[in-house]
Amino acid sequence: MPETTRRADRLPGTRYGNRPTMKDVAARAGVGLKTVSRVVNGEPGVTPDTERRVQEAIDALGFRRNDSARVLRKGRTASIGLVLEDLADPFYGPLSRAVEEVARAHGALLINGSSAEDPEREQELALALCARRVDGLVVIPAGDDHRYLEPEIRAGVATVFVDRPAGRIDADVVLSDNFGGARDGVAHLIAHGHRRIGFIGDMPRIHTAAERLRGYRAAMEDAGIAVEERWMSLGATNPERVRRAAEDMLAGPGPVTAVFTGNNRVTVTVIRVLAEQSRRVALVGFDDIELADLLQPGVTVVAQDSAALGRTAAERLFRQLDGTLVAPERIELPTRLITRGSGELPPAD
Amino acid sequence: MPETTRRADRLPGTRYGNRPTMKDVAARAGVGLKTVSRVVNGEPGVTPDTERRVQEAIDALGFRRNDSARVLRKGRTASIGLVLEDLADPFYGPLSRAVEEVARAHGALLINGSSAEDPEREQELALALCARRVDGLVVIPAGDDHRYLEPEIRAGVATVFVDRPAGRIDADVVLSDNFGGARDGVAHLIAHGHRRIGFIGDMPRIHTAAERLRGYRAAMEDAGIAVEERWMSLGATNPERVRRAAEDMLAGPGPVTAVFTGNNRVTVTVIRVLAEQSRRVALVGFDDIELADLLQPGVTVVAQDSAALGRTAAERLFRQLDGTLVAPERIELPTRLITRGSGELPPAD
DNA sequence: CTCGCATCTGACAACGTTGTCCAGGCTCTA
DNA sequence: TAGAGCCTGGACAACGTTGTCAGATGCGAG
C-alpha cells in the first residue's frame, strides 16, 4: 500500500527526528533565512517567483514552523490556560467548550487541566501553565488563597476566575447567583406548603456550596422557619454519603417533606433515593441535569448557564489582553428556576 | 487591604511586563547564570549556601522559568495534544479526563481542542499542536485522510487515533467494537420478538456510524429479516431531523415496533419521541446515558467505556514515546449490553 | 610547602525564530 | 545618462534556556 506511512519510516535518534528548519528551507530554495520567514508569515516584500520557490521547498521538506522559538522571540504564545475541577463533570464540558470557542475566535489555543478539587494541584497546574507563558488564565478555584498568582498577574498574565471567587487577591470573577438561586429554589418549595425542608450540599469551604447554603437559610428565615440541624448535610461528596444523608433526613420522627440539593451530582443520587421511597418527597436541585424532564416526576431545578459563564469569562480575559479593561470586576449571572413537577409536589406527611 | 494585589500594580508596557530571567536572578544573587539554572533544575554541584542565596533571589523577584526557551533548547515539550469532536458531549468528557490523568502521570500537560466534526478544522488544530511541538497527539478523527500527519509522524510525533480509525496512514488505533455492539443490541431486540426494527444513526461517512449500521444489518440478516429502506435514517445530526425520522418510521402501515439508536444524542431525542407515543415501542441505544435507569422504562443500552478508550490510547502513546512500541496496532475494546427495560418490551403491533 | 585532585562555578555557544537595518538592483524622471 | 527613490533580499543580533568545557577554589597528602 504505497499511500500509507509506516512508523518504521521514522528517522530514529535525534531530537524531533531531524525536523527541517527555516535554514534548511532557505538553503534548498537558494534564498536567505529571513525570506523564508517572510513567506511563512505572509509578510510583504517577496516576489511571486521567490515565494513559489520557497513554498516548494517547504512542501518538499515538510517544514513546519517551530512555535516555541517563535514564542521565545515574540513574547506571546496565543494560548490560554483553563484550570477546572473535573472535565468529566457534565457541568464543565460546555464551560470548557465555550472558553475554547472564544479563544479560537481570538486565534488562541486552549490548554486545560483538572485540579480534582485539590488546592495544591490547582496551584501546580496554574504555575505550570504560566511557565509555558500562556497569555491568560481562566481558573475555577479549588483553593481559597491565590496570592501565588501575584507575580504572574503583575507580569501581565490576564486572569479571570469563574464559578467561585479568587482568594485574597483582587481579580475578575464571573459567577452564578448561587445565593439568589438557592433562596428562590427553597422559597419555591415553601410556597408549595413545605416547612421541613432538607439541604444536601458540598463542603462549605467551597464558595458555591457556602452561598447555596446561605440561600437555603435565608429562604427559611424569610418564612419564619427554624432550621433543624439534622435537615442539613454538608460535605457529602460521594454518592454513599449523600445516600445516607438523604435516608437519614427522610426517616425518624418529623422527616423532611422536601429536599433541596446543592449540585448536580447530589441531585442525581437523591433522585435515586427518592425513587425508592413509598412517600412522595418534593425535590429542587441546583444545576440542570439531562433528561430531567423525562423522569417521573420531572425534576425541578435551579439552572445555571455554564456555557455563558465560560464565554463571559473568556471574553473578559481577552479584553484584559486588549488593554480595554482596568478595574477588576465581579460579574454575577442570573440563574433560572425550571419547574418540571418534583418541586411542585405538596407535602406528604 | 494589604493582603491583596490590584491589577493596577502591574508593570505596564514591555513584553511579559518585565518578567525576570535567570540572568536577573544571577545578578541579584551574585552568581553565574548557569548556577541559577542548576538550582532551578535541582542539578547537583551547588553548595547549600549558594543554593540558598539563589533561592532567595528567585523568591524575591518572583522568577518562573520560561518553558518556551527550555523547550527550544531541549526539544521536548512534555505536553500532548488531544483533538476531539466536542468537549461538551458527555461521551468525551471522561475520555479527555482519562487522557489527562495518564499524561499527568508522565509529567505532561494536555492541550485539547474541538474539531466540531469538521475535517478541515481537525487538520488545522492538529498541525497547530505540532507547531507547538507537542510530544504526541491523540486524535479522534473527523476526516478520513490523515496523510497530512505524515511529516509529523516521521519527525517523531507519537500519534494514536481513538474512537475511529485513521485514514490512509498506518497508525495506532483504539476503538470500541462498534459492529459487534450494534449487532448484539439489535439481536437482543430480535430475541424479544421484534422484526420491524428501525435504525437511526449518524452520517455513514463517520466510521463509528457506518460500523453500527453494519452491525444492525448483520443482525437483521442473521435473523433472516429483510430490512426496509424506510426503517433506516442516516445522517440525522440535529434533534429536529431525528425527531422527524423517528416519527416517520413509527407512523404509516407496518410501523417499526423497536428502534436502535446510533449514539447518545440520537437516543435522548428518540426517548422524548417515544414518551409521546401511546403504543409502547422498544428501544436500545448505543452509548450509555446518565439516569437511564430511572426513566420509565429504564433504557437498555450498548455501553462503551469512554474512559478506557482514552486511557488505553494515552498509555499507548507514551509507550511510543518510550520507544517500547514498533508496529502500529488496532485495539478494539468490547462493549457491554446493559438491560434496563426498554429493550425487553415485546412488540406492540 | 607544594602538588594533585575533587568540587564548585561561570563563560560561551546553540536551539529556531523574528526585528532591524543595510546593500544592491531596479524603475522612473530630469 | 545620471540621480533619486523604491523594492527585494539577506546578514546579524536577540529572545531565555541548557550543555559543554575550562577555570577557580579548597582540601588533603606527600
Side-chain angles (χ1 to χ4, degrees), chain B residues 70-104:
Chain B
R70 173 168 227 252
V71 161
L72 177 58
R73 188 63 233 253
K74 304 203 73 144
R76 279 276 147 120
T77 56
S79 58
I80 66 173
L82 172 61
V83 180
L84 41 70
E85 194 238 307
D86 182 2
L87 253 183
D89 184 325
F91 176 72
Y92 294 113
L95 193 155
S96 174
R97 179 66 197 277
V99 172
E100 186 194 347
E101 287 302 325
V102 175
R104 186 177 140 83

Side-chain angles (χ1 to χ4, degrees), chain A residues 193-245:
Chain A
H194 295 273
R195 295 190 63 82
R196 297 198 306 276
I197 302 172
F199 177 93
I200 306 180
D202 225 325
M203 297 161 291
R205 76 167 173 79
I206 298 175
H207 175 264
T208 49
E211 282 292 291
R212 294 170 195 174
L213 174 60
R214 201 163 67 81
Y216 164 79
R217 286 185 181 282
M220 296 296 266
E221 191 176 328
D222 286 352
I225 304 172
V227 174
E228 288 190 24
E229 204 54 47
R230 61 191 196 81
W231 296 348
M232 293 184 300
S233 164
L234 313 176
T237 45
N238 61 54
E240 293 74 34
R241 290 189 56 183
V242 171
R243 167 170 286 274
R244 217 172 37 242

Side-chain angles (χ1 to χ4, degrees), chain B residues 22 34 37 41 63 66 70 73:
Chain B
M22 284 192 178
K34 186 61 219 256
S37 172
N41 295 297
F63 167 80
N66 184 332
R70 173 168 227 252
R73 188 63 233 253

Side-chain angles (χ1 to χ4, degrees), chain A residues 188-311:
Chain A
H188 182 75
L189 288 169
I190 294 172
H192 281 81
H194 295 273
R195 295 190 63 82
R196 297 198 306 276
I197 302 172
F199 177 93
I200 306 180
D202 225 325
M203 297 161 291
R205 76 167 173 79
I206 298 175
H207 175 264
T208 49
E211 282 292 291
R212 294 170 195 174
L213 174 60
R214 201 163 67 81
Y216 164 79
R217 286 185 181 282
M220 296 296 266
E221 191 176 328
D222 286 352
I225 304 172
V227 174
E228 288 190 24
E229 204 54 47
R230 61 191 196 81
W231 296 348
M232 293 184 300
S233 164
L234 313 176
T237 45
N238 61 54
E240 293 74 34
R241 290 189 56 183
V242 171
R243 167 170 286 274
R244 217 172 37 242
E247 285 169 350
D248 283 356
M249 60 183 71
L250 288 167
V256 298
T257 62
V259 179
F260 186 86
T261 49
N263 66 46
N264 55 358
R265 295 185 303 274
V266 173
T267 305
V268 168
T269 304
V270 169
I271 290 171
R272 289 185 206 286
V273 174
L274 297 189
E276 296 159 7
Q277 301 286 314
S278 51
R279 175 166 64 94
R280 300 275 262 178
V281 177
L283 169 69
V284 174
F286 209 106
D287 289 336
D288 203 0
I289 52 182
E290 203 173 22
L291 298 182
D293 56 326
L294 290 180
L295 295 174
Q296 300 293 344
V299 183
T300 294
V301 299
V302 176
Q304 46 180 336
D305 188 342
S306 69
L309 282 174
R311 198 179 332 112

